[in-house]
Amino acid sequence: PSVRCIPATNENERPRARALVLVRASAAGFADGDVKPSATTASQTRVIVICLGIAMLLASADRTIFAAAALSIKAELAMSLKDVGAAQSAFLWGYGVTQLAAGAASDRYGGAKVLLFGLFLWSTAVALTPLSGGVYAILVARFMFGAASGCALPASAAAVAAHVPAERRSGALSTIFALFNIGSAFGLAAAGGLIATFGWKFVFYLFGLFGACFALLAYSLMPESVKQYVPRISSAVAHER
């Protein structure tokens, strides 16, 4: 949509003309001082969406491998069903605790950076899980994994809002969340076969190492608008301050 400017014939009419421009701009879906999401090209936007989608796929896949490996972990570490339930719960406690903080961090530092940083941290927690020598160490590793991956949903939404044009946001979010759901199916299918062949520890090492390496690669591919992200403040908010 376009915004038609109202010419002002004298100094007294300029405030009224600007007010009309702002009203029409708001009706067209823009906020003053926030006309574009970021200075990214179409190809850069595609890179951002693809990288975010893969990160979300890994977030979902990494959640499933513990369920696939639960029987093997239980047998090797002599865990009870109560212990296994506690380990699953530890992930959810960590996940819930950090979501609010992750949303605020995404607004301040940029959703793409927060998501990729979270991917690196939770992949590290996944890779460290096999080194846990007992039930309590498993609980700590699971909590760390949940806390780091709590950024996934708020950060991905913030990144799309900041770097994807309004007319493409629905498609971008659909792609990202479709990959997020596919990740669960992929994780269960891949983990089951790998555990049967190489053992449960190998799966955690593989998924963790791949996720950490991908986080570094994806960040290197990000455009400067992501790396040098600056929170946008509308003129109305700035005036209130």
Side-chain angles (χ1 to χ4, degrees):
S2 61
V3 178
R4 185 169 64 88
C5 295
I6 308 298
T9 57
N10 57 54
E11 292 292 333
N12 293 331
E13 291 183 0
R14 285 182 181 176
R16 174 179 174 274
R18 175 158 178 76
L20 288 174
V21 170
L22 294 180
V23 169
R24 295 192 178 191
S26 298
F30 296 107
D32 183 35
D34 189 22
V35 175
K36 296 181 181 179
S38 64
T40 53
T41 65
S43 61
Q44 289 173 333
T45 299
R46 283 193 292 271
V47 169
I48 293 171
V49 172
I50 291 171
C51 288
L52 294 178
I54 294 175
M56 292 294 285
L57 183 149
L58 293 173
S60 185
D62 289 342
R63 298 179 189 187
T64 64
I65 60 176
F66 186 87
L71 292 177
S72 299
I73 297 173
K74 177 178 178 294
E76 182 169 327
L77 299 181
M79 297 173 67
S80 65
L81 289 176
K82 180 180 178 181
D83 294 332
V84 174
Q88 294 282 38
S89 177
F91 160 77
L92 295 172
W93 279 109
Y95 187 83
V97 163
T98 57
Q99 280 204 311
L100 290 176
S106 298
D107 290 336
R108 183 176 180 85
Y109 302 108
K113 284 195 291 188
V114 170
L115 179 56
L116 295 178
F117 181 65
L119 171 58
F120 184 86
L121 290 182
W122 86 61
S123 297
T124 301
V126 168
L128 291 176
T129 301
L131 302 179
S132 305
V135 174
Y136 292 110
I138 285 284
L139 294 178
V140 171
R142 293 292 294 169
F143 181 86
M144 290 174 56
F145 169 52
S149 60
C151 70
L153 292 176
S156 61
V160 169
H163 303 291
V164 179
E167 66 274 11
R168 300 182 196 168
R169 286 175 191 162
S170 294
L173 285 173
S174 297
T175 300
I176 290 170
F177 291 139
L179 288 171
F180 178 72
N181 291 321
I182 289 171
S184 296
F186 167 76
L188 287 172
L194 290 171
I195 291 170
T197 305
F198 301 104
W200 70 272
K201 292 184 178 181
F202 173 82
V203 175
F204 280 81
Y205 290 139
L206 177 64
F207 276 60
L209 180 62
F210 180 83
C213 291
F214 178 78
L216 297 175
L217 173 63
Y219 184 77
S220 71
L221 296 175
M222 290 294 105
E224 287 302 311
S225 59
V226 171
K227 296 178 180 179
Q228 306 297 330
Y229 176 81
V230 177
R232 296 183 306 280
I233 302 176
S234 67
S235 61
V237 174
H239 179 71
E240 290 177 0
R241 292 183 178 180

